[in-house]
Amino acid sequence: MNKTDNPTLEDVARAAGVSTATISRSINEPDKVAQKTRDRICEVINKLGYTPNFGGRALASKRTNIVGAVIPTMANAMFASGLQAFQETLSASGVTLLVASSGYNSDHELEQIRTLITHGADGLLLIGAARPKATMDFLHLRNIPFVIGWHYDNDPQRLFAGFDNHKAAQVMCDAVLQLGHRRVAMIGGITDGNDRAKSRIDGVRHAVANFAGDAVLLDILEADYTLENGGNAFAKLMSATPAPTAIICGNDVLAAGAVVRASDLGLKVPDDVSITGFDDINLATVVRPALTTMRVPQTDMGRSAARLLLARLAENRQVRSIEFEAELIRRQSLAPPGG
Amino acid sequence: MNKTDNPTLEDVARAAGVSTATISRSINEPDKVAQKTRDRICEVINKLGYTPNFGGRALASKRTNIVGAVIPTMANAMFASGLQAFQETLSASGVTLLVASSGYNSDHELEQIRTLITHGADGLLLIGAARPKATMDFLHLRNIPFVIGWHYDNDPQRLFAGFDNHKAAQVMCDAVLQLGHRRVAMIGGITDGNDRAKSRIDGVRHAVANFAGDAVLLDILEADYTLENGGNAFAKLMSATPAPTAIICGNDVLAAGAVVRASDLGLKVPDDVSITGFDDINLATVVRPALTTMRVPQTDMGRSAARLLLARLAENRQVRSIEFEAELIRRQSLAPPGG
DNA sequence: CAAATATATGCAAGCGCTTACACTTCATGC
DNA sequence: GCATGAAGTGTAAGCGCTTGCATATATTTG
């Protein structure tokens, strides 16, 4: 598995007639080296195709310039574009991204965190705040710098770049209730090991419970984020009597699945039933009717998470969590009951 | 930036009353160590929260168990899910994924390749076969093992896990022509630095040129993969006289944008104009009419690319490229001209 | 112009790990 | 019982780099 022997610092040093220290400096702190020497070194480096050996560098300098991210899955557009922004921002600072996915499973998440750390990650991006004690213990024991994305709360001990899922869901549900809906149902993500999904459901529960009127939350179904599951859950909810007049979905994929299924079942959205989404990914704008949804600042979160983590790693003391606001985007899938 | 001092092999060795070599063995080659010793060591490791220092390990063993991927962008669902599969497969072999994105720019790609290598990647996944000489030179000079995904050709010198974009586009265009379309236009991706986009366009060109009839390829527009660009390009193409009866799109995002715009413009798909996509991502199934598209085996490619790369790194000699077939998926957006 | 300071380079000690080799036990077979 | 070998462990030599310190050279200053 080892590559054929690559040139080392020493090879370069010999060829350039200087010491290894000078080469090292000309790479890492160029202005500590005379212009002339640097030029010569640069030339030799290119001729030899030298690149610093990673292991040696990491060992000597005690840092890798690698940060890791453990996200539920890249297959969800929301994480993918956030991760993209995260990576781009890191890249601009010469830091590289190690990724792993947990599949929304917390045991798996711990395993992946371990892996990333043993693979040299200086810091981590994690999604959501809730995790088992074992995971927290490991993080603390090893004193690992990390940032939590896609979630925000007031815990001053930790670093967040996210938004308040509970509040956002509540805003959405309030909007639904304001329009006159009284029989509401929800299709949420699987809450096990996913505090964002849980918060969104709680937000809806809370909104219904505190509504100054007699609204009912008929049912809450949990489903993996696929179009088909969204469709199936929708069908199930609509087969109840009385049927809900609005269905709040935990994300756009579920909602899009529901919208499509509605049309298959001959139900008109929003006339027969309103459907709302969450995240505002491409899907939301393309289904007909287009989804009323909560826009989540995916790119901003990714970018900010990177900045926070970089600052934290640079030991800037003034690192503070950033709260973003999810924004209600009104489109056609939500209307007063009965059209 | 350095973490507080973590326990080292030596700490563990001292605490367990054995030599560092034994600890190392019990981690890397457990069955070379007596059960009893191993148990004791394991206990100490857990108590101390020891994890091997990455730099030391990489330096001594000359491998990192990291592979890198440079993809155009994770924000495109097709790459995201392929990358997800790639990562999962690697993970199952204890290998971790370093990601970088090129933004479809080949200078940037080279830079990212360099970064990944200096960050310790043992091997790489790259997308598409076409790249500038400088990049190829670097890859060869450093003798870097790599696999090319999302593309296939017969070059026996290289390792592919992909499909023939040219052929796939041709299949799609043939299907369009078979249905009776004679005025065809295309909305492709930006071909600069993107051989897949180019191949898809060439495939369509080729199909039209070789059609046993008098079909015309009216126009080819290139656009970044966004819904809006797809819509704009569509509007532009439809404003020509005579207008095309079918528009072949280089990917589903462009096609979905076109379908949505068609409806905004009061055009019926497929009655007034047929639209086809490429990739078969979620979007394709959700727009109405649903997209006729080429299904691309994203997950399979990701998984196979990982297997190929792992095999290559393990120096298995019997590593051979894998060709996948894209599959024509017929849905409602394509019909004979005039409905 | 000597002294003081700034700038450029070299020296050499590790960083924490793996691994070839040497050594010690202990079981086995004759 | 003793040679033989297997199994378990230790010793120590690096892997390629960074970096504090010492040294050498250039520049400034009174």
Side-chain angles (χ1 to χ4, degrees), chain A:
Chain A
M1 178 131 177
N2 33 20
K3 315 163 185 169
T4 58
D5 278 354
N6 287 318
T8 72
L9 248 204
E10 211 174 316
D11 297 331
V12 180
R14 203 175 309 122
V18 294
S19 76
T20 60
T22 304
I23 313 283
S24 174
R25 282 190 204 102
S26 94
I27 291 171
N28 301 309
E29 305 159 293
D31 33 65
K32 287 200 172 177
V33 173
Q35 179 68 48
K36 236 171 102 181
T37 328
R38 212 193 315 157
D39 289 347
R40 186 154 31 96
I41 290 174
C42 191
E43 202 179 316
V44 174
I45 285 182
N46 285 329
K47 197 169 69 197
L48 266 51
Y50 169 81
T51 18
N53 173 319
F54 182 61
R57 170 178 277 197
L59 185 55
S61 69
K62 299 190 172 261
R63 58 188 339 265
T64 56
N65 280 317
I66 287 182
V67 310
V70 184
I71 56 170
T73 171
M74 288 172 259
N76 181 326
M78 192 191 39
F79 292 123
S81 58
L83 197 64
Q84 174 68 30
F86 185 70
Q87 185 266 318
E88 282 172 11
T89 309
L90 293 177
S91 179
S93 298
V95 171
T96 300
L97 173 62
L98 214 40
V99 300
S101 57
S102 66
Y104 293 100
N105 175 103
S106 47
D107 291 344
H108 204 178
E109 188 195 33
L110 173 53
E111 193 183 314
Q112 298 293 311
I113 290 174
R114 280 214 159 88
T115 307
L116 295 189
I117 294 302
T118 49
H119 282 74
D122 287 334
L124 295 178
L125 166 65
L126 301 175
I127 305 298
R131 38 186 57 84
K133 183 161 180 314
T135 308
M136 296 312 297
D137 286 350
F138 178 76
L139 255 16
H140 289 132
L141 179 64
R142 296 298 308 272
N143 196 24
I144 297 164
F146 66 99
V147 128
I148 292 172
W150 275 247
H151 167 100
Y152 180 89
D153 67 46
N154 287 317
D155 182 347
Q157 304 295 316
R158 298 154 88 188
L159 218 42
F160 301 105
F163 64 98
D164 184 334
N165 282 277
H166 186 284
K167 195 200 311 174
Q170 207 178 313
V171 166
M172 173 59 86
C173 189
D174 282 343
V176 168
L177 298 172
Q178 287 304 327
L179 284 177
H181 292 276
R182 290 300 174 265
R183 292 195 313 277
V184 176
M186 176 155 192
I187 309 175
I190 307 283
T191 55
D192 183 41
N194 181 344
D195 57 345
R196 285 91 57 216
K198 203 173 313 181
S199 296
R200 291 180 189 182
I201 289 178
D202 288 347
V204 168
R205 272 217 181 86
H206 188 263
V208 172
N210 290 290
F211 181 63
D214 51 354
V216 204
L217 184 50
L218 294 175
D219 202 356
I220 300 175
L221 262 31
E222 296 188 7
D224 273 335
Y225 293 141
T226 69
L227 291 169
E228 197 181 353
N229 286 342
N232 292 342
F234 173 82
K236 182 153 177 224
L237 290 176
M238 292 308 288
S239 68
T241 320
T245 64
I247 295 182
I248 296 177
C249 299
N251 93 353
D252 284 346
V253 178
L254 293 172
V259 166
V260 167
R261 183 64 61 91
S263 121
D264 292 350
L265 296 175
L267 292 168
K268 294 258 175 267
V269 178
D271 303 24
D272 297 329
V273 58
S274 281
I275 294 175
T276 69
F278 211 110
D279 292 346
D280 196 27
I281 61 178
N282 265 346
L283 272 184
T285 70
V286 145
V287 288
R288 283 298 109 95
L291 294 176
T292 287
T293 189
M294 294 302 293
R295 176 173 296 168
V296 163
Q298 319 153 31
T299 305
D300 292 340
M301 284 190 296
R303 195 163 25 219
S304 299
R307 295 217 181 100
L308 251 44
L309 191 52
L310 290 170
R312 174 83 170 64
L313 290 173
E315 302 194 334
N316 289 2
R317 272 293 124 243
Q318 74 287 24
V319 182
R320 314 251 345 212
S321 293
I322 300 181
E323 177 173 14
F324 291 97
E325 295 292 334
E327 181 191 359
L328 178 64
I329 304 292
R330 292 180 187 271
R331 298 203 185 92
Q332 295 74 48
S333 73
L334 172 64

